[in-house]
Amino acid sequence: MASNGMMVPEELTCPISKKLMKDPVIVPSTGVTYDRHSIQKWTDDGNATCPQTGRRIPSLAMLIRNNVLKDMISGWSENPPLNNEFQKPDFESTMDINLTAETFQGQRELFERWRLLTKENHAFRKHFVESAAVHVSTLYNGICLAIAASRRGIFMDDLQESLIATLTNMAVHSDDVKVLVANKGHRIEIIAEAMDVRGNIKFRTIGASAIKTLSTLDLFKKQVPGQHKCYSGSLLLLGVMEYLKGMLEVQDVLAVEEAAGAIINLCSVPRNIGLARECGIIGTVMDNIKYNLFVREMVQVVAMCSTDKTVIEEIVRCEAISTLFKIIKGDCSPHNAENCVTIMYEIVTRTASTTNQIRSQERTHRLLATLVKEGTPIAQTKARDILAKIFPKSMRERKLKND
């Protein structure tokens, strides 16, 4: 129950605290959303596995903001009585729609109402999801009609925005809805196409949010590659990655955050890291870091991909070592520092030729020794292990004593 005495919809509560979430975050390795404070306390209390799935949580430095859910929570908090009401006429109006190319444009108000109701009215959303098979098919058909019209020069980005946003609002609370999309490669292709550079930034961001939401599902991450072909003839997921790479190149905070979150979700499955590398995501990420753009999100992406030796070789060529020390030295959050030292650990482990460079940077800045004392538990362990690799034992003990 919220502080205002209203019963909080279950889908807006944290699975751990059972309270309304204030800062919902996704754990990429499990796809489950928790309130940041609750999952932090859960791990601080010594728990190493996800309470919902039982899987190991590698690091809290990889948490991704669930912006779609956060918007829903904000809407409920602003007007909870309205959002607890179920408007049966509104629901019934969605049940008997027959979309054709001739009737499609006339449905603008209906599609926008779907988007708003599935975002702001949890009771409506619940009933909408219960008829998911029908509604996902209708939404997909609508998106296809809008795309077909745009190819004839009749652009309907606003209609596509409403339809894809409605689908995302349904999927954020329902794995069943995610499955209805993930099981059909052509549906993923159509949603990913919303991120095409020809669209406006709002439309492209909605597409990225949809892919980010769908990518929390194991079926999407693990079973899609190799099963379907995208329009270009490459693997479906590679096509999705290529669109996400384009999103990292725009100068919009939300767009980049949603795209980076989708990449992190997808690359929590190791075999997908090669697809990210193949389509040029790593190079784009390193360029953003070089120009101090969206550094937190970019470092998260590199850290998630850093178990791949080829990725390590690529970032070393991009002067990653000096860049990582610079980030840690600057105004760096504990989790950002943890990701930086995680990357550095993979570098020194997988490329022996970098030992001298890391040793030289550490002698100058003394940052690893500081992290051994002041970093997160994972950062402390990684920093200690790096020092063990770059300094002989006697030199290391003398260094820590002097520091």
Side-chain angles (χ1 to χ4, degrees):
M1 185 171 290
S3 57
N4 57 16
M6 297 299 300
M7 187 64 66
V8 180
E10 184 179 357
E11 65 265 28
L12 304 184
T13 63
C14 175
I16 297 174
S17 68
K18 309 301 181 184
K19 297 179 180 178
L20 181 69
M21 288 184 276
K22 296 180 180 179
D23 187 8
V25 291
I26 302 166
V27 179
S29 60
T30 69
V32 181
T33 294
Y34 298 98
D35 188 68
R36 188 186 296 274
H37 174 76
S38 295
I39 193 64
Q40 180 71 62
K41 185 177 184 303
W42 173 266
T43 57
D44 287 347
D45 289 343
N47 299 293
T49 58
C50 170
Q52 291 291 94
T53 67
R55 299 181 194 170
R56 190 175 73 88
I57 301 175
S59 167
L60 294 186
M62 285 295 167
L63 295 178
I64 305 166
R65 294 190 186 102
N66 192 329
N67 291 312
V68 173
L69 187 55
K70 189 167 186 176
D71 282 348
M72 289 182 175
I73 292 169
S74 297
W76 183 88
S77 300
E78 290 170 5
N79 200 337
L82 173 65
N83 294 322
N84 276 320
E85 294 175 4
F86 174 55
Q87 307 295 332
K88 190 172 181 179
D90 278 323
F91 180 68
E92 290 177 342
S93 71
T94 71
M95 300 303 291
D96 299 315
I97 179 170
N98 181 27
L99 288 182
T100 66
E102 291 73 27
T103 64
F104 181 63
Q105 289 193 59
Q107 302 295 338
R108 273 186 166 82
E109 290 185 7
L110 174 62
F111 295 155
E112 180 61 11
R113 189 162 78 237
W114 285 1
R115 183 188 70 80
L116 290 173
L117 286 171
T118 54
K119 175 185 175 182
E120 298 177 355
N121 189 305
H122 85 277
F124 179 90
R125 185 170 56 248
K126 177 182 177 181
H127 284 269
F128 209 82
V129 169
E130 287 174 353
S131 304
V134 173
H135 288 99
V136 168
S137 179
T138 300
L139 292 167
Y140 170 72
N141 290 339
I143 296 167
C144 289
L145 287 170
I147 290 173
S150 68
R151 289 170 179 165
R152 300 194 305 270
I154 306 171
F155 295 99
M156 302 181 181
D157 282 2
D158 59 328
L159 290 175
Q160 290 187 74
E161 286 175 16
S162 295
L163 292 165
I164 294 175
T166 299
L167 183 61
T168 305
N169 292 341
M170 293 170 64
V172 75
H173 295 300
S174 171
D175 282 354
D176 290 340
V177 173
K178 296 186 186 81
V179 168
L180 287 169
V181 179
N183 264 335
K184 297 183 182 296
H186 55 279
R187 289 180 174 175
I188 297 171
E189 292 166 355
I190 289 295
I191 293 170
E193 193 172 308
M195 294 184 284
D196 191 276
V197 294
R198 293 169 293 182
N200 64 59
I201 192 60
K202 179 183 176 184
F203 182 28
R204 296 176 69 192
T205 303
I206 287 172
S209 294
I211 294 297
K212 175 180 168 183
T213 299
L214 293 168
S215 66
T216 61
L217 185 72
D218 282 347
L219 176 63
F220 188 98
K221 293 186 283 191
K222 296 180 179 180
Q223 297 185 27
V224 168
Q227 290 186 350
H228 311 284
K229 297 289 183 179
C230 66
Y231 297 135
S232 65
S234 60
L235 289 171
L236 171 62
L237 201 54
L238 178 60
V240 171
M241 290 281 198
E242 288 170 345
Y243 282 120
L244 291 169
K245 171 183 175 289
M247 296 295 293
L248 297 181
E249 297 169 348
V250 304
Q251 301 301 305
D252 183 270
V253 175
L254 181 58
V256 172
E257 185 174 343
E258 295 299 85
I263 293 167
I264 291 166
N265 277 338
L266 292 170
C267 289
S268 65
V269 175
R271 70 183 180 194
N272 293 338
I273 296 173
L275 297 177
R277 186 189 69 241
E278 184 178 342
C279 71
I281 283 176
I282 304 304
T284 299
V285 165
M286 293 305 295
D287 283 344
N288 280 348
I289 293 174
K290 177 181 177 180
Y291 294 107
N292 201 34
L293 299 172
F294 316 109
V295 173
R296 180 183 67 86
E297 291 82 3
M298 299 302 102
V299 169
Q300 277 186 301
V301 172
V302 177
M304 180 60 80
C305 297
S306 64
T307 54
D308 184 290
K309 189 175 187 299
T310 307
V311 168
I312 292 299
E313 293 169 351
E314 181 173 350
I315 66 172
V316 167
R317 290 194 295 271
C318 295
E319 302 180 347
I321 294 172
S322 59
T323 299
L324 292 169
F325 272 96
K326 181 180 178 181
I327 293 170
I328 297 172
K329 186 179 180 181
D331 185 14
C332 187
S333 72
H335 282 156
N336 210 20
E338 178 183 319
N339 281 328
C340 286
V341 77
T342 294
I343 298 166
M344 205 178 303
Y345 173 81
E346 296 295 339
I347 289 174
V348 76
T349 299
R350 297 173 186 276
T351 54
S353 60
T354 60
T355 300
N356 288 338
Q357 187 180 354
I358 296 176
R359 182 188 298 125
S360 174
Q361 289 281 342
E362 175 61 11
R363 281 173 169 163
T364 301
H365 302 293
R366 296 173 175 265
L367 296 175
L368 295 175
T370 300
L371 285 175
V372 168
K373 299 176 181 179
E374 302 175 1
T376 67
I378 291 177
Q380 290 177 8
T381 300
K382 297 288 186 182
R384 189 178 294 109
D385 290 345
I386 294 170
L387 291 173
K389 290 177 180 293
I390 65 175
F391 289 109
K393 184 176 180 181
S394 57
M395 187 186 302
R396 183 169 71 255
E397 290 173 346
R398 186 166 63 253
K399 175 180 172 59
L400 290 173
K401 182 178 180 180
N402 291 338
D403 289 340

